[in-house]
Amino acid sequence: MSDLIRSTSTWWAQSSKHARRTAIGTVAIVLVLGLITWTVWVSPAGPVSSAVQTALGVTPPKAKQPTAAELSAKLDAAQQTIWKLEGKLDSSGAQAGSRAEEITRLKAQIASLQSDLGAATSGGKASAGGSGPAGSSGASGPSGSAAGTAAGASDSGAGSGGTGGTSGTGGTAGPSKDPVASEPITTPTKAQILGQQSRWYGLYTTQSPFNWAEYDRVSQEVGRATNMVGYFQGFDQDFNASAVQRSWANGRLPMMTWETVPAKTGNDQPYVEGYTNQDIVSGKFDDYLASYARALKANGMPVVIRLDHEMNGQWYNWSEGSKQQNAPGSYVAMWQHVHDVFQANGANDYVIWNWSPSRIDKLGNPKYQTLDYMRQYYPGADYVDWVGMSGYYRTATEQPTFQNTFGATLAQLRQVAPGKHVLLNEIGATETGGSVSDSQKSQWIDSLFDALADPANRDVIGFAYFSQVATTIVDGARTTNDWRLDSRADSLATFAEGIARTDTDYDLQEVKQ
């Protein structure tokens, strides 16, 4: 017998006091094991089948089912998170990879919640998705793939009926709200937008329409609501339904400047390989365009597309010239091709196509200032709904007047596209570095509203003001300009007075202070 056996052969030979403790401990262990066994047997998730539980007379406890209200709250919270993440993804410093993964996860969560909510509501009538018109189902992320097509939206119209008549939209006074997934968004039709009688007043601010903080602040300072918001997208980005939904949730017409280059391309890159006009005409991007168009149609809300603006300059990739490797006539062919792909996919019922050259008298080369040169870029009346222009007041050496900034270009637009309404798509006045004196920015703004009150400019249906600080590179020169409406107290006050005038048809709501 080994030493181990010898040493343990008498382990039980203990005192009576120790024996009593051992007995009590043994009973406790047996009771705990019995409780664990019983819990496993009666648990719905345990290894014992329901048939065995039924045979033993055990009724498994029922899990508490969330109410429709609880599910809807979870759905709204998930959708709000997606919109916030999308706003971050659109910022220049975004860490796209991790946020994109989070958006994918949240989309899956929303799909599950929508299914649960449909089952929890009577007859499935309470829709969890559908920030689109007429209760369209589904939440769209950056890919713009809506879960369903808007109910009641026909091929001959856009949206769900809008605000009535031809008045289109009058905007909201703020503070801006985020869409709520369980509340459908009502929009005007494309026809109502084109027939709107009051003028359009929009802003470009940092991060809008993904973040309304600065937009709301400027609106509060001006004291007048807007009915339009401008933003930009590149040709490497899918249709962003949330940008359109967030705009319409606040009664604002979304105006997207769509550039046929990757989103991060600077305006000092006049040639981007693989993105020439001919690359688009050749059909290289047709799958992308068709997917984009289908997503836009599925979202069911109107949007202005300002495709490849300022084409009559020489700083962008889509202009015609040797450095862009674009032949004469290629811009019109490119525009018509994009339009035709949208038409084939039913998206043009929701798109207001906006052709928008740059201010002609600042183009340098006299060739670019001629009427014939402007005409060579016009896609034709059947391919354009609105014409427009970019026009900025940049230096104290200019006269701070509407006529000086816009007059020459407007004259050509009226000849090239007679009868078309004109939207001043992107305008502003700077005063950075003392280049504009204390009063000149205010004088320019005052002249803007005087001109809009002139019956001769009745075809000018509105403007979008670029209220940002921006650094641009044009023809190799880097310039930073402060275009903000509130960069100066006097220019802000002048603008507030101008937008409140009753003779300019800016029939917009006052902001409640």
Side-chain angles (χ1 to χ4, degrees):
M1 185 179 291
S2 69
D3 290 343
L4 178 60
I5 294 176
R6 284 198 303 271
S7 67
T8 60
S9 61
T10 56
W11 67 268
W12 48 266
Q14 303 171 24
S15 67
S16 60
K17 180 178 180 180
H18 187 80
R20 285 195 299 273
R21 290 177 178 174
T22 300
I24 292 171
T26 301
V27 172
I29 290 172
V30 171
L31 289 174
V32 170
L33 289 173
L35 180 60
I36 292 173
T37 301
W38 173 257
T39 301
V40 170
W41 272 62
V42 301
S43 171
V48 182
S49 69
S50 59
V52 175
Q53 292 186 25
T54 301
L56 294 174
V58 176
T59 303
K62 293 184 178 180
K64 181 182 177 182
Q65 296 297 319
T67 66
E70 290 171 337
L71 287 170
S72 183
K74 289 181 180 179
L75 177 64
D76 286 346
Q79 182 64 82
Q80 297 294 336
T81 304
I82 279 185
W83 278 316
K84 289 178 182 178
L85 288 169
E86 287 176 343
K88 293 177 182 178
L89 278 172
D90 257 50
S91 67
S92 58
Q95 300 296 320
S98 61
R99 289 187 181 130
E101 292 172 2
E102 180 70 2
I103 286 176
T104 299
R105 184 187 67 77
L106 284 167
K107 281 185 180 178
Q109 176 186 346
I110 280 183
S112 175
L113 287 168
Q114 286 175 329
S115 176
D116 292 343
L117 184 58
T121 54
S122 60
K125 292 181 180 179
S127 171
S131 26
S136 59
S137 65
S140 303
S143 65
S145 54
T149 303
S154 70
D155 287 341
S156 61
S160 61
T163 55
T166 58
S167 60
T169 177
T172 54
S176 299
K177 63 181 181 179
D178 290 336
V180 178
S182 57
E183 297 179 3
I185 300 170
T186 300
T187 74
T189 66
K190 175 179 176 177
Q192 288 173 321
I193 291 169
L194 294 177
Q196 173 153 311
Q197 298 302 303
S198 59
R199 276 179 163 138
W200 300 96
Y201 157 43
L203 293 173
Y204 296 87
T205 61
T206 305
Q207 288 294 298
S208 60
F210 304 99
N211 184 313
W212 294 115
E214 185 175 348
Y215 198 101
D216 284 346
R217 177 180 58 77
V218 175
S219 295
Q220 291 285 338
E221 291 171 343
V222 170
R224 219 41 152 184
T226 65
N227 56 6
M228 176 183 284
V229 58
Y231 64 102
F232 291 75
Q233 267 206 296
F235 231 53
D236 57 342
Q237 295 175 299
D238 293 328
F239 173 68
N240 195 325
S242 85
V244 177
Q245 293 165 7
R246 289 171 64 84
S247 300
W248 279 121
N250 294 282
R252 295 169 188 142
L253 173 63
M255 179 175 64
M256 180 189 73
T257 299
W258 199 14
E259 302 178 328
T260 57
V261 289
K264 302 303 180 185
T265 305
N267 67 351
D268 58 340
Q269 294 180 247
Y271 172 69
V272 181
E273 185 177 1
Y275 287 85
T276 66
N277 293 338
Q278 184 56 40
D279 283 322
I280 297 167
V281 173
S282 71
K284 174 182 174 180
F285 290 91
D286 279 6
D287 288 345
Y288 165 73
L289 290 169
S291 175
Y292 200 105
R294 288 192 296 267
L296 190 152
K297 179 185 177 183
N299 191 57
M301 300 180 186
V303 59
V304 176
I305 293 183
R306 183 171 71 140
L307 178 63
D308 282 350
H309 64 311
E310 301 176 12
M311 75 300 294
N312 55 334
Q314 283 292 300
W315 47 88
Y316 280 128
N317 178 75
W318 45 86
S319 299
E320 295 174 0
S322 58
K323 62 181 176 181
Q324 290 88 359
Q325 299 189 23
N326 289 326
S330 62
Y331 178 87
V332 166
M334 176 275 298
W335 179 292
Q336 292 178 347
H337 184 81
V338 173
H339 180 282
D340 289 347
V341 173
F342 270 55
Q343 181 66 29
N345 287 277
N348 282 343
D349 294 316
Y350 302 92
V351 176
I352 294 96
W353 290 99
N354 181 205
W355 181 71
S356 179
S358 184
R359 174 181 172 181
I360 65 168
D361 52 304
K362 290 295 181 180
L363 295 180
N365 189 331
K367 166 190 171 182
Y368 304 145
Q369 301 179 28
T370 66
L371 182 61
D372 287 341
Y373 187 74
M374 177 80 86
R375 280 198 172 111
Q376 90 177 39
Y377 281 108
Y378 185 53
D382 292 340
Y383 290 87
V384 173
D385 296 299
W386 286 341
V387 298
M389 66 171 290
S390 300
Y392 287 91
Y393 177 60
R394 297 177 180 274
T395 172
T397 61
E398 294 184 48
Q399 288 297 312
T401 65
F402 179 93
Q403 178 61 30
N404 182 67
T405 304
F406 302 104
T409 311
L410 283 176
Q412 286 196 4
L413 289 175
R414 288 163 176 156
Q415 294 179 74
V416 170
K420 293 291 185 182
H421 284 160
V422 182
L423 183 67
L424 306 179
N425 297 100
E426 189 181 323
I427 70 171
T430 189
E431 40 87 8
T432 296
S435 63
V436 176
S437 70
D438 290 351
S439 63
Q440 282 177 302
K441 186 169 185 176
S442 293
Q443 290 174 21
W444 183 88
I445 292 171
D446 198 37
S447 177
L448 168 69
F449 289 105
D450 282 345
L452 292 173
D454 185 344
N457 293 316
R458 288 297 305 158
D459 58 342
V460 178
I461 59 172
F463 67 87
Y465 191 95
F466 193 84
S467 189
Q468 296 187 43
V469 177
T471 298
T472 58
I473 302 174
V474 179
D475 296 330
R478 180 184 295 271
T479 304
T480 298
N481 287 289
D482 189 345
W483 308 108
R484 294 174 302 166
L485 277 176
D486 56 356
S487 64
R488 303 183 57 85
D490 57 344
S491 57
L492 175 63
T494 302
F495 188 90
E497 293 172 3
I499 200 69
R501 289 173 59 162
T502 60
D503 57 350
T504 57
D505 289 325
Y506 279 97
D507 186 16
L508 306 172
Q509 301 178 43
E510 291 185 3
V511 173
K512 303 299 182 184
Q513 301 293 340

